[in-house]
């Protein structure tokens, strides 16, 4: 029996479903596999209703359920010492992890992907990526204070790259600027492997007092469930299940309708409105609506609480009155939140909504039945155990195996390869090589992007791009603040996934320490191809194993993150790209260390030793080579280097510090000189002698655990003593030269800063206007 | 509840007793972004910042008003076009035009609201390059006699952040000529015109000099370590503080 309503569709009730077991349901179109559909039938003891099918299909999608990665992700929770848990107030599993900063302050941060939507519709895809991650931060009870955006695009000269780049950057700026959140850094990489599948990741960080931490759970029988913010529309339906959990191919129609549309003004008002709710302690539990919309919010709130929930779906305020119950449950319309409010607080809650002119509707209440029941005009269309929707989705032990091609790739070292022919050695050649490097797509100035972002709003940005880490003040009285950096190297990870993931962590850790902050926590966004490909699954498994081992060794826990799979064009996967964000703490942001030197006559030191490690390097990339083994990982050295940089910052021993990573010493020297337009005189003979490398290798090798620092004369003895005491290699390689306006390196033709700056800054405008 | 404010929370804190009596209102509209920064600038200048809400019908006893930057109502219509009709705006317009000549400063979106309110002439359209732009901008103070510039000198160059999408100042030639003739061009862009503004105009005043609007953000240049850098790296991070001390000079009366 079907019930006729005023709507143009039939309501498939639970009662009806029980009586019509053989009705054909579109589970395959919704992205479910046969075994998954069978499992739903088993869990329910009957066929699902249309609404239930909609919920399960989005919640059991790869994007929401982590079904392919869950078995591996466990390591992040298992490889954790008591020491690492010390400052973790909320761990993995909530909207975002929370770390203790001291003085009653806590910080929450998380990084997420919005890759597929950003390819289909770059502006909205990137914009709503910012919106979604910011709502995750608000739902923890925090005030968002900054965002970052690691971006990976196709080849810089491919005609479609401009479309994606313009759209994504304008979207991030258009949304983030309008929210009043400073954008303090990110990444930009061009590589043809991302041509049909750019990576648009977004990070947000928020701060709160300990007592303000909020969790997503619905507890207390009789408490009311409210949906507030934007109205629910037809945008983003199936975004998580169809878009983010499947590969693109040309046989299917455009997926544009699956991309959400953002309204940053609504989000800004929602932020202020939520903070006012928190301040008045007006909500018991709160959950943002992101992937899987109301399906996710109701099932997660209910399953994390102590009872059940009953919701009337016709109470949802709609933008489009023709939406079916299934569509309402799956819609990913942005700028919505769901909260649980006690009956006593209803009036106060409504007053806050009215003040900010935010729409809301009361949907139902918390029950003690343990069931999530959703009705449509009183008729039950969903009756499920919420855990089966939110947490007990399928888990796959996907087959994985080391790819057959891995050995031959690793055997193909850059040194001595065809591409390595004519390696620069003469002074003119080396000068040209340095200039070519710093003008190259991945190493050039990112100012074209960053000047489209507001880095000032809030008045607490102590450091932003192009410095190694973004630094934001948290407490205006004490100067307490946080530093953040994100890093990934798809080329390294392609060559050796276990090490590649560790190298991403090592670099982010190093960047944070370079700024003077003590690294405390990790969030990761694991961007990979299809898990159904055993080669890709091996890359993912190895990367997670590598990352979790390295976190243990560095003593910083993963507090949250996101897995993005099916990143491929046709059957060609992207380079495995684990983007790692590290958060650090500065007791006083006034002590932060910028990446450029300013004071004439200061000594420039190189910390760490240099080996011949050019495989996977930016130089080899410029020559079109990818093979061999990435630089060695030495986490003990990273830790020692980090401690030196942190102490040097705290005790005022260095005025500038810059980590060595992509592009090696050559890139670091140019960047530190261009930062404030102050040059240097450099001699590397002693380094070449000590480490047994030639000048080219000294400049372009990407050996890890290295940094350059500028040391005031008065601090030189103390600084050297500290490095010696810690047994860490340190070598004076030059001196800051404020008058010359050039970077002089013995054995390299003179490089004028004006010419370097022009080369460095011209690249993006040349391609993107 | 916590007694320590959340980061950036708008709260009124009394500062130096002699100046703390001076109350400067900071208006918040839905979508205002730089209200906390403006309040901080007021506090750092030594006065008391008073949060004002757009929907309030009374201005209270504030001595001056700042309309801060942001995207009020998302700038979805014309920037400032909706905010101009807020209940508080009519009070501000009356007070600015009254005998007492209430000092009013509009920054960025605040400047746009002031032109929409007809407290200031002209209008802002999209930047000529059609992109949002954030940069450390050099300005020349062309008139150091307004309520918000008396602590500067004529011709002084300052660096303050600029960040906007719709920052191109336009007006008809007659209006521009009149502004120039009457000394009402208060700030001009130096070295680089970041948005195509007519005659490099960055900020203007009304005839009485109590109402000033500009696109760049002096409230982001009031604190060491958090403001702009000059090209040579020399710290220039507090060049904007003069706006807020100027109005105090006006209010408290000469001797600060």
């Amino acid at each position: 029996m079907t019930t006729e309503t005023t709507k143009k569709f039939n309501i498939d009730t639970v009662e009806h479903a029980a009586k019509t077991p053989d009705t054909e349901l579109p589970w395959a179109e919704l992205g479910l596999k046969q075994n998954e559909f069978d499992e739903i039938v088993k869990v329910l003891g009957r066929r699902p209703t249309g609404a239930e099918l909609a919920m399960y299909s989005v919640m059991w999608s790869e994007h929401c359920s982590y079904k392919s990665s869950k078995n591996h992700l466990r390591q992040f929770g298992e490889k954790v010492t008591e020491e690492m848990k010390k400052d973790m107030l909320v761990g993995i599993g909530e909207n975002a992890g929370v770390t203790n900063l001291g003085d009653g302050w806590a910080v929450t941060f998380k990084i997420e992907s919005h890759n597929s939507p950003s390819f289909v519709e770059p502006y909205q895809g990137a914009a709503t990526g910012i919106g979604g991650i910011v709502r995750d931060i608000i739902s923890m009870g925090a005030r968002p204070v900054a965002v970052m955006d690691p971006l990976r695009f196709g080849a810089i000269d491919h005609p479609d790259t401009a479309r994606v780049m313009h759209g994504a950057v304008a979207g991030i700026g258009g949304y983030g600027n309008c929210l009043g959140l400073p954008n303090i850094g990110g990444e930009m990489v061009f590589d043809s492997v991302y041509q049909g599948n750019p990576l648009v990741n977004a990070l947000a960080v928020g701060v709160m007092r300990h007592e303000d931490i909020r969790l997503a759970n619905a507890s207390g029988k009789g408490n009311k469930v409210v949906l507030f913010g934007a109205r629910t529309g037809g945008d983003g339906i199936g975004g998580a299940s169809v878009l983010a959990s499947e590969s693109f191919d040309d046989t299917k129609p455009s997926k544009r309708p699956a991309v959400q549309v953002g309204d940053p003004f609504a989000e800004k008002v929602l932020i202020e409105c939520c903070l006012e709710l928190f301040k008045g302690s007006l909500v018991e539990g709160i959950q943002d609506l992101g992937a899987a919309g109301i399906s996710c919010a109701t099932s997660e709130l209910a399953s994390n609480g102590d009872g059940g929930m009953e919701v009337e779906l016709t109470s949802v305020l709609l933008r489009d009155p023709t939406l079916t119950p299934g569509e309402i449950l799956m819609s990913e319309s942005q700028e919505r939140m769901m909260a649980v409010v006690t009956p006593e607080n209803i009036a106060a809650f409504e007053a806050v909504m009215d003040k900010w002119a935010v729409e809301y509707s009361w949907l139902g209440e918390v029950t003690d039945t343990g069931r999530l029941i959703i009705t449509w005009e009183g008729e039950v269309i969903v009756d499920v155990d919420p855990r089966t929707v939110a947490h007990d989705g399928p888990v796959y032990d996907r087959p994985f195996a080391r790819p057959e091609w891995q050995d031959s790739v690793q055997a193909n070292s850059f040194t001595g390869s065809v591409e390595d022919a004519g390696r620069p050695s003469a002074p003119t050649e080396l000068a040209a090589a340095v200039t070519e490097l710093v003008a190259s797509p991945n190493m050039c100035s990112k100012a074209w992007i960053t000047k489209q972002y507001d880095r000032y709003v809030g008045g607490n940005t102590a450091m932003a791009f192009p410095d190694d880490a973004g630094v934001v003040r948290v407490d205006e009285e004490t100067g307490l603040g946080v530093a953040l950096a994100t890093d990934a190297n798809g080329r390294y990870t392609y060559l050796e996934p276990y090490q590649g993931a560790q190298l991403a962590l090592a670099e982010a850790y190093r960047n944070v320490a370079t700024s003077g902050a003590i690294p405390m926590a990790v969030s990761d966004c694991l961007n990979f191809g299809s898990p159904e490909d055993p080669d890709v699954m091996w890359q993912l498994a190895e990367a997670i194993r590598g990352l979790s081992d390295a976190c243990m060794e560095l003593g910083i826990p993963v507090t949250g993150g996101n897995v993005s799979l099916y990143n491929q064009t046709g059957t060609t996967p992207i380079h495995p790209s684990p983007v790692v964000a590290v958060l650090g703490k500065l007791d006083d942001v006034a002590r932060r260390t910028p990446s450029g030197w300013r004071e004439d006559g200061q000594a420039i030191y190189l910390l760490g030793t240099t080996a011949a490690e050019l495989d996977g390097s930016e130089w080899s990339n410029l020559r079109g080579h990818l093979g061999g083994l990435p630089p060695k990982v030495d986490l003990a050295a990273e830790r020692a280097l980090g401690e030196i940089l942190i102490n040097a910052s705290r005790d005022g021993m260095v005025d500038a510090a810059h980590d060595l990573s992509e592009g090696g010493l050559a890139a670091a020297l140019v960047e530190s000189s261009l930062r404030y337009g102050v040059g240097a005189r450099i001699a590397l003979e002693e380094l070449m002698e000590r480490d047994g490398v030639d000048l080219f290798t000294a400049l372009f090798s990407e050996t890890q655990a290295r940094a350059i620092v500028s040391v005031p004369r008065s601090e030189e003895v103390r600084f050297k003593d500290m490095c010696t005491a810690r047994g860490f290699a340190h070598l004076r390689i030059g001196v800051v030269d404020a008058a010359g306006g050039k970077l002089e390196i013995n054995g390299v033709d003179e490089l004028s800063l004006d010419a370097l700056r022009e080369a460095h800054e011209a690249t993006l405008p040349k391609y993107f206007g | 509840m916590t007694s320590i404010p959340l980061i950036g929370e708008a709260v009124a804190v009394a500062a130096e007793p002699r100046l703390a009596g001076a109350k400067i209102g900071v208006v918040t509209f839905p979508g205002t972004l730089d209200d906390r920064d403006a309040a901080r600038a007021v506090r750092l200048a030594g006065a008391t910042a008073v949060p004002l809400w757009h929907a309030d019908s009374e201005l209270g006893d504030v001595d001056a008003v700042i309309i801060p930057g942001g995207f009020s109502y998302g700038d979805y219509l014309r920037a400032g076009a909706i905010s101009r009709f807020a209940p508080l705006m009519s009070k501000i317009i009356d007070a600015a035009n009254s005998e007492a000549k209430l000092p009013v400063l509009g920054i960025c979106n605040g400047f746009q609201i002031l032109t929409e309110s007809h407290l200031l002439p002209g209008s802002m359209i999209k930047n000529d390059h059609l992109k949002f732009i954030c940069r450390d901008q050099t300005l020349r103070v062309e008139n150091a006699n307004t309520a918000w510039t008396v602590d500067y000198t004529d011709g002084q160059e300052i660096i303050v952040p600029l960040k906007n999408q719709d920052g191109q100042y336009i007006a008809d030639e007659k209006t521009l000529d009149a502004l120039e003739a009457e000394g009402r061009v208060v700030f001009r862009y130096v070295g680089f015109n970041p948005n195509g503004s007519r005659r490099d105009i960055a900020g203007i005043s009304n005839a009485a000099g109590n109402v000033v609007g500009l696109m760049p953000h002096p409230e982001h240049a009031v604190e060491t370590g958090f403001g702009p850098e000059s090209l040579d790296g020399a710290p220039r991070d507090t060049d904007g503080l003069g706006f807020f001390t100027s109005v105090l000079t006006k209010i408290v009366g000469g001797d600060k």
Side-chain angles (χ1 to χ4, degrees):
Chain A
M1 183 195 75
T2 45
T3 311
E4 286 296 324
T5 71
T6 51
K7 304 268 180 176
K8 296 273 190 299
F9 46 81
N10 297 326
I11 296 303
D12 185 17
T13 62
V14 167
E15 191 187 354
H16 178 246
K19 286 179 188 161
T20 54
D22 299 326
T23 305
E24 286 289 318
L25 291 171
W27 50 266
E29 287 85 333
L30 290 171
L32 287 167
K33 303 282 190 266
Q34 177 77 55
N35 63 310
E36 294 170 345
F37 179 72
D38 293 345
E39 181 65 24
I40 295 169
V41 173
K42 203 175 124 198
V43 163
L44 293 174
R46 57 173 164 79
R47 76 156 173 91
T49 64
E52 287 166 342
L53 182 69
M55 289 183 81
Y56 279 105
S57 73
V58 286
M59 290 302 290
W60 284 17
S61 68
E62 186 66 60
H63 185 84
C64 293
S65 74
Y66 298 94
K67 56 191 170 192
S68 300
S69 54
K70 215 174 201 171
N71 278 341
H72 300 277
L73 294 173
R74 289 207 177 94
Q75 296 169 74
F76 291 130
E78 289 162 2
K79 295 179 190 167
V80 178
T81 61
E82 284 308 311
E83 178 68 13
M84 286 159 78
K85 285 187 199 154
K86 178 170 59 82
D87 292 314
M88 211 197 298
L89 299 175
V90 177
I92 302 176
E94 283 292 337
N95 285 303
V98 181
T99 302
N100 182 12
L101 274 184
D103 295 345
W105 289 102
V107 59
T108 178
F109 77 123
K110 191 179 177 187
I111 183 164
E112 262 189 4
S113 62
H114 230 215
N115 303 335
S116 313
S118 301
F119 176 64
V120 176
E121 167 38 61
Y123 186 99
Q124 293 298 345
T128 55
I130 295 280
I133 193 68
V134 166
R135 282 193 304 282
D136 272 335
I137 296 304
I138 310 171
S139 33
M140 296 309 297
R143 171 179 281 281
V145 292
V147 294
M148 291 176 108
D149 58 330
L151 305 172
R152 285 171 172 75
F153 302 112
I156 196 168
D157 54 357
H158 189 287
D160 193 49
T161 300
R163 174 189 71 95
V164 179
M165 168 94 162
H166 273 279
V169 171
I172 290 163
Y175 204 99
N177 293 338
C178 199
L179 290 189
L181 297 178
N183 190 312
I184 56 171
E187 294 171 87
M188 176 197 74
V189 174
F190 296 98
D191 193 312
S192 57
V193 295
Y194 305 111
Q195 199 64 58
N197 200 122
L199 301 185
V200 175
N201 294 174
L203 174 148
V205 56
V207 298
M208 69 200 107
R209 304 292 299 168
H210 286 186
E211 58 271 29
D212 291 334
I213 296 173
R214 293 289 182 283
L215 300 177
N217 60 54
S219 294
K221 180 173 184 266
N223 285 341
K224 304 298 175 191
V225 177
V226 65
L227 182 65
F228 61 107
R231 287 182 169 231
T232 299
D235 55 327
I237 288 175
S241 56
V242 183
L243 205 49
S245 304
E246 240 188 84
S247 313
F248 287 118
D249 64 47
D250 296 333
T251 60
K252 291 181 188 157
S254 160
K255 292 186 173 169
R256 192 177 294 262
V259 180
Q260 312 88 321
V261 177
D263 175 355
F265 170 63
E267 178 111 338
K268 166 65 181 169
V269 171
L270 203 55
I271 294 174
E272 299 303 330
C273 178
C274 285
L275 290 169
E276 206 159 316
L277 292 176
F278 298 149
K279 191 171 183 184
S281 295
L282 298 178
V283 294
E284 306 304 302
I286 188 161
Q287 168 82 42
D288 66 301
L289 274 75
I294 296 176
S295 297
C296 178
T298 52
S299 62
E300 289 202 344
L301 278 168
S303 62
N304 296 345
D306 56 10
M309 190 190 281
E310 206 167 315
V311 160
E312 169 59 44
L313 208 55
T314 52
S315 300
V316 173
L317 299 174
L318 299 178
R319 243 179 266 170
D320 172 358
T322 67
L323 293 181
T324 67
E327 287 170 330
I328 295 170
L329 286 168
M330 289 165 75
S331 163
E332 296 184 2
S333 287
Q334 299 289 291
E335 295 94 23
R336 297 180 298 164
M337 302 287 280
M338 188 174 279
V340 175
V341 181
T342 63
E344 306 83 71
N345 281 329
I346 287 176
F349 178 93
E350 292 184 344
V352 172
M353 295 297 122
D354 293 343
K355 175 184 170 189
W356 289 97
V358 170
E359 286 196 301
Y360 60 93
S361 62
W362 300 96
L363 299 188
E365 60 183 41
V366 177
T367 64
D368 58 2
T369 61
R371 306 290 290 179
L372 170 61
I373 292 174
I374 297 177
T375 56
W376 184 268
E377 291 178 338
E379 296 198 68
V380 177
I381 56 170
V382 172
D383 182 353
V384 297
D385 174 350
R387 274 205 69 81
T388 66
V389 180
H391 299 297
D392 299 339
V395 178
Y396 292 131
D397 242 329
R398 302 249 188 225
F400 60 89
R402 192 168 191 271
E404 283 172 21
W405 45 263
Q406 200 75 36
D407 282 342
S408 59
V409 165
Q410 291 185 349
N412 175 23
S413 180
F414 175 69
T415 302
S417 67
V418 180
E419 292 85 354
D420 190 26
R423 183 185 283 199
S425 59
T428 44
E429 293 170 345
L430 286 168
V434 171
T435 309
E436 183 189 347
L437 179 81
V438 299
S440 68
N442 293 344
M443 303 304 303
C444 68
S445 164
K446 281 91 179 157
W448 186 90
I449 296 178
T450 54
K451 75 180 184 190
Q452 296 186 51
Y453 301 151
D454 182 350
R455 64 179 177 277
Y456 280 108
V457 65
N460 289 305
T461 307
M463 219 155 72
F465 231 77
D467 288 317
D468 291 62
V471 175
V472 180
R473 177 175 58 182
V474 170
D475 187 329
E476 293 192 29
E477 297 297 315
T478 63
L480 176 73
V482 293
L484 278 154
T486 76
D487 284 292
N489 190 314
R491 290 165 54 81
Y492 291 170
T493 315
Y494 170 79
L495 298 178
E496 224 304 288
Y498 180 87
Q499 248 171 285
Q502 297 196 329
L503 289 167
L505 174 68
E507 186 180 347
Y509 180 95
R510 198 159 64 233
N511 276 320
V512 164
T514 302
S515 77
I518 302 165
M520 293 193 82
V522 176
S523 182
D524 56 355
C525 186
L526 305 173
N527 305 279
F528 288 76
S530 165
E532 295 165 43
D533 175 345
D535 292 359
V536 171
M537 200 56 220
W538 176 78
Q539 293 173 330
L540 177 64
E542 283 295 284
I544 293 172
R545 193 170 68 83
L547 193 54
S548 53
D549 284 349
C551 284
M552 182 102 164
E553 200 168 335
L554 289 174
I556 49 174
V558 172
T559 60
N562 162 247
V563 180
S564 171
L565 303 178
Y566 297 96
N567 290 293
Q568 50 189 64
T569 311
T571 56
T572 311
I574 58 163
H575 285 335
S577 305
V579 176
V580 180
V582 171
L583 176 136
K585 165 186 162 178
L586 275 156
D587 287 332
D588 184 358
V589 296
R591 292 247 61 96
R592 70 198 181 275
T593 313
S595 61
W597 40 66
R598 281 181 271 206
E599 294 279 325
D600 189 58
Q602 288 195 348
I604 297 170
Y605 277 79
L606 173 65
L607 301 172
T609 56
T610 307
E613 294 184 297
L614 289 158
D615 291 346
S617 67
E618 273 307 317
W619 179 260
S620 71
N621 187 29
L622 281 181
R623 290 291 167 267
H625 184 275
L626 179 55
L629 283 168
K632 282 196 188 60
V633 179
D634 184 346
L635 296 170
E638 298 288 358
R639 219 169 160 155
L641 174 66
E643 282 166 10
I644 287 173
L645 291 165
I646 294 159
N647 282 337
S649 144
R650 196 189 51 215
D651 295 349
M653 283 187 260
V654 299
D655 274 6
H658 193 20
D659 94 303
L660 267 58
S661 51
E662 284 89 357
L665 180 60
L669 288 172
V670 173
E671 288 164 2
S672 290
S673 298
L674 290 183
R675 178 71 181 86
Y676 297 113
V678 176
R681 291 192 308 274
I682 304 291
L684 299 175
E685 287 76 10
E686 207 180 328
L687 162 78
M688 289 150 62
E689 170 83 31
R690 183 193 68 183
D691 295 344
V693 294
D694 60 16
L695 184 53
F696 174 86
T697 306
L699 287 169
F700 293 94
S701 166
E702 296 185 3
T703 298
Q704 302 290 298
R706 295 185 299 163
I708 47 174
V709 293
S710 83
V711 184
R713 290 286 163 119
S714 58
E715 302 299 325
E716 226 179 316
V717 173
R718 200 155 67 108
F719 178 76
K720 278 162 63 179
D721 286 351
M722 175 178 68
C723 294
T724 308
R726 290 167 185 269
F728 202 83
H730 57 286
L731 189 65
R732 184 177 162 144
I733 57 167
V735 63
V736 177
D737 177 8
K742 56 189 186 257
L743 175 61
E744 276 184 62
I745 305 170
N746 275 358
V748 180
D749 270 5
E750 192 177 292
L751 296 156
S752 91
L753 295 190
D754 287 345
L756 283 173
R757 185 179 298 283
E758 198 185 320
H760 191 51
E761 292 180 354
T763 309
L764 292 187
K766 179 181 152 201
Y767 286 99
F768 304 110
Chain B
M1 283 324 297
T2 165
S3 56
I4 301 174
L6 270 178
I7 184 168
E9 188 175 3
V11 285
V13 178
E16 212 186 311
R18 197 160 48 90
L19 296 171
K23 290 183 186 161
I24 304 192
V26 177
V27 188
T28 300
F29 296 88
T32 295
L33 304 179
D34 302 309
D35 43 354
R36 299 174 184 86
D37 305 63
R40 183 189 296 115
V42 167
R43 291 200 301 275
L44 290 171
T48 300
V50 179
L52 298 174
W53 181 240
H54 72 110
D56 289 348
S57 50
E58 289 306 325
L59 203 44
D61 59 346
V62 296
D63 301 301
V65 166
I66 298 172
I67 307 177
F71 290 81
S72 59
Y73 296 98
D75 279 0
Y76 291 157
L77 195 51
R78 226 169 35 251
I82 298 178
S83 302
R84 173 251 179 282
F85 293 103
L88 195 67
M89 275 313 296
S90 56
K91 300 288 171 188
I92 291 173
I93 294 167
D94 290 348
N97 289 329
S98 72
E99 198 67 15
K101 293 190 175 26
L102 180 80
V104 177
L105 175 66
I107 303 169
C108 197
N109 199 230
F111 184 18
Q112 292 158 342
I113 294 168
L114 292 180
T115 61
E116 289 291 334
S117 309
H118 306 297
L119 279 172
L120 294 173
S123 187
M124 254 68 62
I125 61 171
K126 206 170 263 299
N127 296 340
D128 55 356
H129 46 81
L130 306 180
K131 290 194 194 75
F132 187 94
I133 183 168
C134 177
R135 72 189 301 269
D136 297 341
Q137 176 70 46
T138 304
L139 302 179
R140 187 167 56 243
V141 181
E142 300 282 21
N143 180 350
N145 278 315
T146 76
W148 299 91
T149 55
V150 289
D151 282 0
Y152 295 109
T153 52
D154 281 339
Q156 184 178 345
E157 290 193 359
I158 59 173
I159 301 180
V160 295
L162 168 113
K163 40 168 215 179
N164 60 60
Q165 178 96 39
D166 299 318
Q168 180 176 181
Y169 180 73
I170 55 162
D172 59 60
E173 287 299 311
K174 210 176 120 197
T175 305
L176 292 170
D177 288 342
L179 286 173
E180 303 266 15
E182 294 165 23
R184 291 167 58 191
V185 173
V186 184
F187 302 99
R188 239 187 272 272
Y189 298 117
V190 176
F192 176 72
N193 182 334
N195 43 33
S197 288
R198 300 295 175 274
R199 305 189 191 184
D200 298 334
I201 291 173
I204 56 173
S205 74
N206 65 350
N210 61 315
V211 179
V212 170
L214 80 167
M215 285 312 294
H217 289 259
E219 81 283 16
H220 290 325
V222 294
E223 208 180 350
T224 302
F226 297 90
E229 289 158 354
S230 64
L231 283 178
D232 61 1
R236 293 293 293 270
D237 24 26
T238 58
D239 280 7
L241 200 55
F243 281 75
F244 309 94
T245 57
S246 289
V247 76
L248 292 183
T249 306
K250 267 284 200 244
I251 294 166
V252 181
D255 171 47
K256 275 195 298 119

